[in-house]
Amino acid sequence: MKIRFIPTAAVLAAACALTACGTSPSGSEQASGPDTLTVWIMKDSVSDAYLQRFEKDFERQHADTVLDIQIQEWDGIGEKITAALASKDSPDVIEVGNTQVAQYAQSGGVLDLSDKVEELRGGDWLPGLAEPGKIDGKQYGVPWYAANRVVIYNKDLFAEAGITSPPTTRDEWLRITGKLNRGKTQGIYLPGQNWYTLAGFVWEEGGDLAEKRGGRWKGSLDSPQALRGMDFYQRLQALGKGPKDSDEAKPPQADVFAKGDVAQIIAVPGGAKIVEQANPALAGKLGFFPVPGATAGTPGATFTGGSDLIIPAASAHQDAAYQVVKSLAGEKWQRDLARTMSYVPNRTSLADALEDNEGTAAMAAAAARGRATPNSPQWAAVEATNPIKEYMTAVLTGSDRQKAAKDASDAISKTLNS
C-alpha cells in the first residue's frame, strides 16, 4: 500500500521529487519499468480502504502503471496546487473542490478535457459539479462526488403535531413548520446567515448571486427574483428562534437540534450522526427530506458541494492520468464511493446506489437540481468577506431590503471584477 499523507507545509519540491518520470506526451525516451502516477487526494475525502481497493484494481488492469497516492490537507491547498500547476514536475491527477476549478483553470496549467466529456457520459453529470468544471466553454474538471443539504427532522415532534409525512412543496413546508412552531418547540432552527440555504431559495426563484454580462460580473442579489428568495428565507426563519446575526456554526446547529425541542434543521445528512452523538436518545428518530421546491415532485434548487478531478497540463503521463480519472468517475467506483462514503455519485442515473439510506437518498434526489456558486476565480475572495451574510442580517433585523441587497450586490461586483 503506497497511500501517504503529505502535509501542506511540506516543501513542494519534496512532493514533486516523488513523481517518477516515464513516457511524456511529447514522446520522450521511456524509463525502464512501469510509469508512476502521482495522485493528490484531499484528507478525509474518502477512506483508506476505498483508495486501497481502487489502487489494487487499477494496477491490476494497468500493468504498466503504479499509483503513488498522496493525501493532502485542505488548509493552504490553494497555494500548493497553484504552485504545482506552474511546476514542470506536477502531480498527474488532483482532487479539487468543485468551486475551485475556475481559480486553477485561470492559471492555464490545467488540461482541457472537453473531448472526453461524451466518453465520460458528461450529459448525465450533476449540474452542480459539471458547471463549475466548465470554464469559457471548456471542461477542465471532471465531477467526482457531491454532497448537498437536506432537511433533517425530528420524527417524534412531527408525529406529536399530527404530521404524517414530510412536505413536498414550499407552501406546504411553511404551513407544516408553522404548525410545529408551538409552545417550547421551534418549527425550524435556521440561523440568519445560512447563505448556502439562501442561495438555493434564490435559484429556485430564477435568480442568482451574480451574473456575467459582457465579460464583467454583476452582483444580482437586488434582482426581483433574488429578493423573492430572501423573502421566503425570512418567512421560514421566523418560524424558529435561530439567531439573526450568525451562521450555522455559531452555535453549532447540531448541538441546538440535539436538545430535542427543534423540529427541523437544514444540513448535510451526516449532520444527523453528530446530533445522535450529542444526544443518543434521538438515534433512530431523525428523518430526512429534500428541501421542497415550488411544485410537488420536484425538489428545490440547492447548493452542491463536492470535488472534481483535474489533470495538470504539465503531467508527464497525461494518457495514463486520464485513465485514472475515467476509472474514478466511472460507474464501478462511483457506486463503491456511494456505498462507502454516502456521497452522491457524479451522475443522476446512479442515484439508485443510495436508495437504502434515507438521508443520502434525500440528498441524491436534491442533487439533481444542484447548483454551484458563480463560476469565477474571484469567488473565494467574495466568501472571505461575505457581504451576503451582512445583507441577510440587515434584512432580518428590519433594514431596507432593497438598499441592503444593492449594497451587497455592489460589493460582490467589485470583488469579482477586481
Side-chain angles (χ1 to χ4, degrees):
M1 184 60 198
K2 298 176 292 304
I3 298 172
R4 293 178 291 140
F5 175 74
I6 308 295
T8 299
V11 179
L12 180 63
C16 292
L18 297 170
T19 307
C21 45
T23 304
S24 70
S26 61
S28 59
E29 184 177 354
Q30 182 175 348
S32 60
D35 290 334
T36 298
L37 261 67
T38 303
V39 181
W40 283 7
I41 300 296
M42 300 310 301
K43 184 180 180 183
D44 297 330
S45 283
V46 294
S47 68
D48 287 347
Y50 174 86
L51 291 175
Q52 289 168 3
R53 289 195 299 275
F54 174 76
E55 180 187 45
K56 182 178 180 180
D57 183 75
F58 187 88
E59 292 182 352
R60 179 178 58 81
Q61 297 189 44
H62 301 81
D64 57 345
T65 302
V66 172
L67 297 184
D68 178 17
I69 300 177
Q70 301 178 6
I71 307 301
Q72 307 290 326
E73 291 181 345
W74 282 106
D75 186 31
I77 193 60
E79 295 82 357
K80 186 169 185 178
I81 291 178
T82 299
L85 293 175
S87 169
K88 295 181 180 179
D89 297 311
S90 70
D92 300 287
V93 177
I94 305 177
E95 174 195 353
V96 301
N98 62 322
T99 60
Q100 298 173 339
V101 179
Q103 172 186 344
Y104 301 132
Q106 185 185 46
S107 71
V110 183
L111 190 66
D112 177 10
L113 297 172
S114 301
D115 62 339
K116 304 295 186 182
V117 172
E118 183 176 357
E119 181 181 6
L120 295 171
R121 297 185 62 181
D124 193 29
W125 282 340
L126 296 176
L129 292 181
E131 291 171 2
K134 191 173 185 179
I135 317 298
D136 296 329
K138 297 180 179 180
Q139 193 75 42
Y140 294 98
V142 172
W144 190 19
Y145 65 82
N148 50 266
R149 288 160 176 76
V150 300
V151 182
I152 305 176
Y153 70 98
N154 185 313
K155 293 181 178 179
D156 284 352
L157 295 181
F158 267 54
E160 290 170 9
I163 301 168
T164 58
S165 60
T168 58
T169 68
R170 296 204 308 174
D171 288 343
E172 185 184 7
W173 191 21
L174 285 175
R175 289 196 300 271
I176 283 177
T177 304
K179 188 176 182 179
L180 289 161
N181 194 44
R182 297 286 188 274
K184 296 181 180 180
T185 299
Q186 296 185 56
I188 189 169
Y189 179 81
L190 181 59
Q193 295 183 349
N194 191 333
W195 72 275
Y196 282 124
T197 294
L198 172 65
F201 297 165
V202 169
W203 293 327
E204 183 69 11
E205 293 287 352
D208 210 336
L209 306 178
E211 299 174 350
K212 197 172 186 180
R213 302 174 183 173
R216 290 184 64 80
W217 285 95
K218 184 182 184 302
S220 52
L221 287 171
D222 55 339
S223 71
Q225 298 90 338
L227 288 170
R228 288 198 298 268
M230 183 64 220
D231 178 67
F232 182 82
Y233 190 101
Q234 186 172 20
R235 293 167 66 193
L236 186 64
Q237 201 271 341
L239 299 176
K241 300 177 182 178
K244 295 177 171 59
D245 60 352
S246 63
D247 60 22
E248 60 271 33
K250 300 174 185 177
Q253 67 175 2
D255 291 346
V256 177
F257 194 40
K259 294 178 181 178
D261 59 355
V262 172
Q264 307 167 87
I265 59 171
I266 300 172
V268 295
K273 295 180 180 180
I274 300 174
V275 173
E276 292 172 355
Q277 289 172 0
N279 183 0
L282 290 176
K285 298 182 178 181
L286 303 180
F288 310 83
F289 59 88
V291 170
T295 59
T298 303
T302 185
F303 171 76
T304 298
S307 286
D308 281 22
L309 299 168
I310 63 173
I311 299 175
S315 166
H317 317 96
Q318 290 180 0
D319 290 343
Y322 170 68
Q323 293 305 316
V324 171
V325 170
K326 181 180 178 181
S327 294
L328 286 171
E331 180 171 354
K332 175 181 179 178
W333 291 102
Q334 285 292 300
R335 289 187 176 279
D336 190 313
L337 188 63
R339 291 191 300 269
T340 302
M341 304 300 299
S342 296
Y343 288 146
V344 177
N346 63 3
R347 301 208 307 259
T348 57
S349 59
L350 300 179
D352 64 300
L354 301 171
E355 287 179 349
D356 294 336
N357 185 304
E358 182 183 357
T360 50
M363 184 169 62
R369 297 207 61 221
R371 295 275 298 274
T373 51
N375 204 359
S376 164
Q378 293 298 109
W379 185 256
V382 173
E383 291 192 23
T385 56
N386 214 321
I388 305 173
K389 288 186 173 184
E390 296 177 8
Y391 156 62
M392 296 173 73
T393 294
V395 172
L396 295 175
T397 54
S399 296
D400 181 88
R401 69 175 56 234
Q402 187 73 52
K403 181 180 184 303
K406 180 66 165 54
D407 290 344
S409 296
D410 288 346
I412 291 172
S413 300
K414 182 178 179 180
T415 300
L416 292 181
N417 292 310
S418 62

